[in-house]
């Protein structure tokens, strides 16, 4: 977002966000020998090495119900997310974030996948990894802004982007993050790795309600900023504590504290944002029967 970082009011809640993204474009998928950073001057320089970062469909963006179009969109279907996923997993500090690699081609095991929402019919997408975004202070951290609120976020790498918010509470710890939080000290230094041997139930990292979501066409939020992403942002929240969040702020990027690893807001321009509210009366029965999400127009004309 040109002109500097968006201001955040003191009463904004911090949350953790989950998203799924194309596994062919991992977070550190940058040109060999090049480097990017999240400072304001650093982000302004992204376009020099990655011209796509100046495109018209960039992410993240501000999202609000008042600017969204309500439609009876398909639900997210999750296979294997309610099962305990067996280790080992690899946790790595890559200097931009901390990444937990879920899929291991050398180990034959069932990989969770999703289908539904606005994915192509009969397509299913396997989970690749998850990574995190967080702020140095308790008023920032997320990339997308939902209803004017910035949040801390945790992110799943998959074959499209889906975000779920995690409500930030001072006293309430999220016991479902206990498989990960104690291991952060093992990857405090940049390029360090740790092997995790805890089982994971992925559904516990998502909110209970995944039926209500916002969706729009956008991009990766790190270089090379490819505009190949259909974002899906959940509205519900789950808890994380200040104590847990502070463990992330002990990590190093090789120059200092690893934090504020989020991209500034980009212009929405003429893009449409859709919202799925399954309990709302959106249209008549005949219109719902005739509704075809493949015919959605993603831009205002």
């Amino acid at each position: 977002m040109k002109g500097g970082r968006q201001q955040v009011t003191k009463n904004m809640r911090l949350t953790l966000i989950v998203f799924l993204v194309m596994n062919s474009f991992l977070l550190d998928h940058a040109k060999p020998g090049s480097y990017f950073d999240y400072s304001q001057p650093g982000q302004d320089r992204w376009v020099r090495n990655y011209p796509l970062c100046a495109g018209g469909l960039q992410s993240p963006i501000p999202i609000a119900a008042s600017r969204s179009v309500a439609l009876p969109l398909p639900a997210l279907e999750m296979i294997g997310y309610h099962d305990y996923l067996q280790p080992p997993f690899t946790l790595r500090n890559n200097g931009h974030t901390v990444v937990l690699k879920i899929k291991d081609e050398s180990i034959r095991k069932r990989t969770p996948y999703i289908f539904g929402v606005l994915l192509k019919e009969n397509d299913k997408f396997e989970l690749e990894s998850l990574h995190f975004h967080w702020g140095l202070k308790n008023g920032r951290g997320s990339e997308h802004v939902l209803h004017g609120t910035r949040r801390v976020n945790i992110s799943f790498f998959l074959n499209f982007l889906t975000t779920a918010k995690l409500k930030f509470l001072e006293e309430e710890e999220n016991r479902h993050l206990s498989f990960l939080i104690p291991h952060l000290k093992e990857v405090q230094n940049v390029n360090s790795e740790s092997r995790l041997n805890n089982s994971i139930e992925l559904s516990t990292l998502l909110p209970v309600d995944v039926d209500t979501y916002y969706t729009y066409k956008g991009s990766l939020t790190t270089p090379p900023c490819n505009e190949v992403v259909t974002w899906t942002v959940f509205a519900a929240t789950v808890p994380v504590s200040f104590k847990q969040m502070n463990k992330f702020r002990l990590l190093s990027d090789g120059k200092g504290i690893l934090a504020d690893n989020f991209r500034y807001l980009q212009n929405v321009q003429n893009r449409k944002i859709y919202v799925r509210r399954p309990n709302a009366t959106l249209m008549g029965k005949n219109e719902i029967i005739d509704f075809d999400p493949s015919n959605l127009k993603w831009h205002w004309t």
Side-chain angles (χ1 to χ4, degrees):
M1 174 175 164
K2 295 182 179 179
R5 188 173 306 192
Q6 183 168 2
Q7 296 298 312
V8 182
T9 59
K10 292 182 180 179
N11 63 350
M12 288 185 176
R13 294 177 303 171
L14 230 61
T15 58
L16 216 56
I17 295 183
V18 183
F19 67 77
L20 311 138
V21 68
M22 278 199 178
N23 57 20
S24 59
F25 296 102
L26 298 181
L27 184 67
D28 51 0
H29 186 96
K31 294 179 181 179
S34 61
Y35 172 81
F36 73 89
D37 70 83
Y38 283 101
S39 67
Q40 181 175 342
Q43 292 196 33
D44 291 340
R45 289 191 296 266
W46 285 9
V47 69
R48 296 180 187 177
N49 291 324
Y50 311 98
L52 292 178
C53 294
L57 301 177
Q58 291 297 290
S59 299
I61 62 171
I63 296 174
S66 61
R67 297 195 299 269
S68 302
V69 180
L71 290 176
L73 301 171
L76 172 68
E77 305 292 344
M78 300 181 292
I79 305 300
Y81 277 69
H82 296 278
D83 301 330
Y84 280 99
L85 193 60
Q86 298 305 311
F89 310 108
T90 302
L91 187 67
R92 181 172 182 263
N93 175 350
N94 66 7
H96 302 302
T97 184
V98 61
V99 181
L100 182 67
K101 186 172 177 57
I102 298 295
K103 188 173 182 178
D104 189 339
E105 301 292 353
S106 66
I107 302 174
R108 300 191 66 180
K109 58 184 178 183
R110 182 183 180 186
T111 304
Y113 65 92
I114 61 168
F115 63 94
V117 284
L118 293 180
L119 298 174
K120 292 181 180 180
E121 188 176 0
N122 300 320
D123 280 354
K124 62 181 183 180
F125 299 92
E126 294 184 344
L127 181 65
E128 174 75 17
S129 61
L130 61 88
H131 76 261
F132 306 77
H133 297 272
W134 63 93
L136 183 60
K137 296 183 179 181
N138 295 340
R140 59 181 185 252
S142 72
E143 298 192 301
H144 285 84
V145 169
L146 185 60
H147 309 314
T149 304
R150 276 205 180 276
R151 310 173 188 277
V152 175
N153 62 65
I154 174 176
S155 309
F156 283 99
F157 258 128
L158 209 81
N159 273 39
F160 77 80
L161 287 154
T162 298
T163 69
K165 306 184 300 290
L166 222 158
K167 187 177 181 182
F168 198 68
L169 302 176
E170 184 172 3
E171 300 297 334
E172 185 177 357
E173 290 202 2
N174 184 343
R175 62 183 178 85
H176 300 300
L177 290 175
S178 61
F179 78 93
L180 175 77
I181 299 293
H183 295 277
L184 291 177
K185 60 185 178 182
E186 300 167 10
V187 293
Q188 183 173 351
N189 297 321
V190 65
N191 294 324
S192 58
E193 291 187 358
S194 177
R195 198 170 178 86
L196 274 62
N197 291 306
N198 314 73
S199 59
I200 305 172
E201 185 182 358
L202 293 171
S203 63
T204 63
L205 300 178
L206 294 169
V208 174
D209 177 17
V210 295
D211 290 327
T212 302
Y213 63 77
Y214 297 84
T215 184
Y216 77 97
K217 288 291 188 181
S219 72
L220 299 177
T221 59
T222 59
C225 305
N226 298 66
E227 296 177 343
V228 293
V229 179
T230 299
W231 279 89
T232 305
V233 182
F234 297 130
T237 62
V238 289
V240 63
S241 71
F242 286 110
K243 183 178 179 181
Q244 289 176 314
M245 196 61 253
N246 283 334
K247 298 294 184 181
F248 287 91
R249 294 172 180 144
L250 297 176
L251 301 178
S252 171
D253 64 0
K255 295 182 178 180
I257 298 174
L258 175 53
D260 290 341
N261 56 348
F262 56 91
R263 191 184 189 188
Y264 305 147
L265 291 177
Q266 306 296 300
N267 292 324
V268 178
Q269 300 195 51
N270 69 331
R271 283 178 284 181
K272 285 186 176 182
I273 303 171
Y274 294 103
V275 57
R276 181 183 193 267
R277 297 193 192 98
N279 297 325
T281 303
L282 303 176
M283 52 184 68
K285 290 183 179 180
N286 290 335
E287 291 177 292
I288 293 177
I289 293 173
D290 295 336
F291 176 72
D292 182 359
S294 65
N295 292 329
L296 283 180
K297 296 183 182 299
W298 293 100
H299 297 82
W300 296 103
T301 55

